[in-house]
């Protein structure tokens, strides 16, 4: 997952019950295994205390606010957080002015990192999105791809969050995405990829009682058929481009594209984010 990566959080409409039911089913499975039985398993939407807002988009860059799933006491919470971990020692007043690139953190170094290690113990989270863009580089030519789960399912990435209190206003919740060396599923596209999670792992991953070493060991590599991808327009390289056409498959811009898969965007993916973004009624 390169430094120019972006997330996809599609504009939502339609039925909102299905995905929350999947979270409940995942929690029930975890309960049967004897873990975290006291948790409320349906996520509750909470606005960011600092006022940062999530705007559904087909082209989300770092420093945006995106939906993050985390545990607060015994409740699962879905809340907009700033993409890019803010160092606790950053004086501010702008949480984005620390000058470091913190949208991703390397799995290999997280246990020894002064910046990320504190969040590994008490700030594990799940990044919720429809997919992400990655660029293949071949002979000086760049071709973007959209990577997602087949069938319009939501994609879950392992993340770490912290709460920055260095400014004069409300606390700023912020996060980073854990990345790792790619296996043969995505190594043709980029040498690094996000660390993925499955719903049945949420309970243990988000539980602060799960030791960091055990939590990291949960991050299995993707298998054949778990991810899909297709070429998209180079317009995704400009964050000002926000059209729904960005996620559509287009013909590649180079003759020799490795591992091209003719996988179209499933109609089932439309509105899938609404399953997570529906605000709970008071």
């Amino acid at each position: 997952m390169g430094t120019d990566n972006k997330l996809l959080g599609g504009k939502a409409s339609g039925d909102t019950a299905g995905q929350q039911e999947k979270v409940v089913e995942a929690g029930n499975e975890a309960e049967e295994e004897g873990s975290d039985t006291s948790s409320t398993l349906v996520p509750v939407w909470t606005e960011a205390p600092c006022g940062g807002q999530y705007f559904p988009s087909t082209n989300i860059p770092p420093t945006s606010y995106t939906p993050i799933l985390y545990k607060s006491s015994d409740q699962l919470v879905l809340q907009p957080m700033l993409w890019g971990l803010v160092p606790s020692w950053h004086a501010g007043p702008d949480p984005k002015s620390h000058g470091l690139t913190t949208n991703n953190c390397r799995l290999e170094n997280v246990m020894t990192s002064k910046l990320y290690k504190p969040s590994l113990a008490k700030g594990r989270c799940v990044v919720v999105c429809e997919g992400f863009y990655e660029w293949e580089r071949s002979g000086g030519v760049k071709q973007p791809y959209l990577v997602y789960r087949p069938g319009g399912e939501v994609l879950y990435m392992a993340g770490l969050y912290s709460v920055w209190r260095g400014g004069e206003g409300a606390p700023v919740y912020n996060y980073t995405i854990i990345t790792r060396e790619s296996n043969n599923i995505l190594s043709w596209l980029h040498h690094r990829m996000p660390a993925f999670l499955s719903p049945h792992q949420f309970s243990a991953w988000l539980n602060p009682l799960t030791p960091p070493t055990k939590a990291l060991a949960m991050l299995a590599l993707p298998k054949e058929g778990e991810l899909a991808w297709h070429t998209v327009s180079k317009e995704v390289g400009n964050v000002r481009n926000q059209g729904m056409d960005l996620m559509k498959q287009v013909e590649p811009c180079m003759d020799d594209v490795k591992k091209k898969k003719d996988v179209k965007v499933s109609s089932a993916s439309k509105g899938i984010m609404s399953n997570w973004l529906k605000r709970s009624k008071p």
Side-chain angles (χ1 to χ4, degrees):
M1 197 170 185
T3 57
D4 56 355
N5 57 281
K6 297 177 183 176
L7 298 178
L8 168 67
K11 299 179 180 179
S13 63
D15 177 47
T16 61
Q19 199 63 30
Q20 284 194 335
E21 290 176 357
K22 291 182 180 180
V23 177
V24 174
E25 291 171 0
N28 289 339
E29 180 180 339
E31 288 184 1
E32 291 174 0
E33 295 174 357
S35 62
D36 202 18
T37 58
S38 63
S39 292
T40 300
L41 299 168
V42 178
V44 173
W45 176 269
T46 302
E47 299 292 351
C50 65
Q53 291 184 298
Y54 165 64
F55 297 99
S57 169
T58 57
N59 200 6
I60 302 175
T63 72
S64 301
Y65 283 79
T66 77
I68 302 299
L69 185 69
Y70 73 105
K71 188 177 179 182
S72 178
S73 298
D74 285 334
Q75 176 65 59
L76 288 183
V77 178
L78 193 64
Q79 175 185 308
M81 293 191 190
L82 175 69
W83 184 10
L85 203 77
V86 182
S88 59
W89 58 84
H90 177 53
D94 182 357
K96 303 176 184 179
S97 65
H98 51 80
L100 301 176
T101 302
T102 59
N103 49 303
N104 297 334
C105 71
R106 297 173 66 92
L107 174 66
E108 298 85 350
N109 302 332
V110 67
M111 289 289 291
T112 58
S113 169
K114 177 183 177 182
L115 175 59
Y116 300 119
K117 185 178 180 180
S119 294
L120 181 61
K122 298 182 179 180
R124 295 190 294 269
C125 63
V126 180
V127 182
V128 182
C129 64
E130 287 193 58
F132 64 94
Y133 298 111
E134 190 57 87
W135 293 74
E136 181 190 28
R137 292 164 172 81
S138 177
V141 179
K142 296 170 61 178
Q143 171 62 52
Y145 281 76
L146 171 62
V147 181
Y148 54 97
R149 290 186 65 189
E153 294 291 328
V154 170
L155 193 65
Y156 307 108
M157 305 176 185
L160 303 174
Y161 81 94
S162 68
V163 183
W164 182 70
R165 305 179 188 275
E168 298 179 355
V172 177
Y173 283 71
N174 54 93
Y175 76 94
T176 186
I177 298 172
I178 298 177
T179 66
R180 66 187 307 167
E181 286 290 330
S182 296
N183 65 351
N184 64 317
I185 303 298
L186 287 179
S187 59
W188 60 271
L189 178 59
H190 197 279
H191 68 281
R192 297 198 67 81
M193 64 182 179
F196 300 107
L197 287 165
S198 298
H200 73 273
Q201 298 175 308
F202 291 175
S203 182
W205 173 254
L206 297 176
N207 190 341
L209 298 180
T210 302
T213 52
K214 183 177 179 180
L216 293 178
M218 296 167 46
L219 304 178
L221 292 164
K223 300 177 182 178
E224 188 71 34
E226 291 182 346
L227 295 174
W229 53 82
H230 60 247
T231 51
V232 293
S233 169
K234 288 188 176 182
E235 291 184 359
V236 301
N238 188 336
V239 70
R240 289 175 294 183
N241 296 324
Q242 292 288 324
M244 292 299 292
D245 287 346
L246 292 182
M247 62 191 292
K248 291 183 178 179
Q249 183 176 8
V250 300
E251 289 301 317
C253 299
M254 55 181 139
D255 294 330
D256 185 19
V257 176
K258 304 172 186 177
K259 296 266 188 178
K260 180 183 176 183
K261 271 199 172 184
D262 186 17
V263 181
K264 297 183 179 180
V265 176
S266 170
S267 60
S269 68
K270 296 180 180 179
I272 196 71
M273 286 297 291
S274 65
N275 299 330
W276 287 89
L277 302 180
K278 183 181 182 183
R279 291 162 171 75
S280 60
K281 296 181 179 180

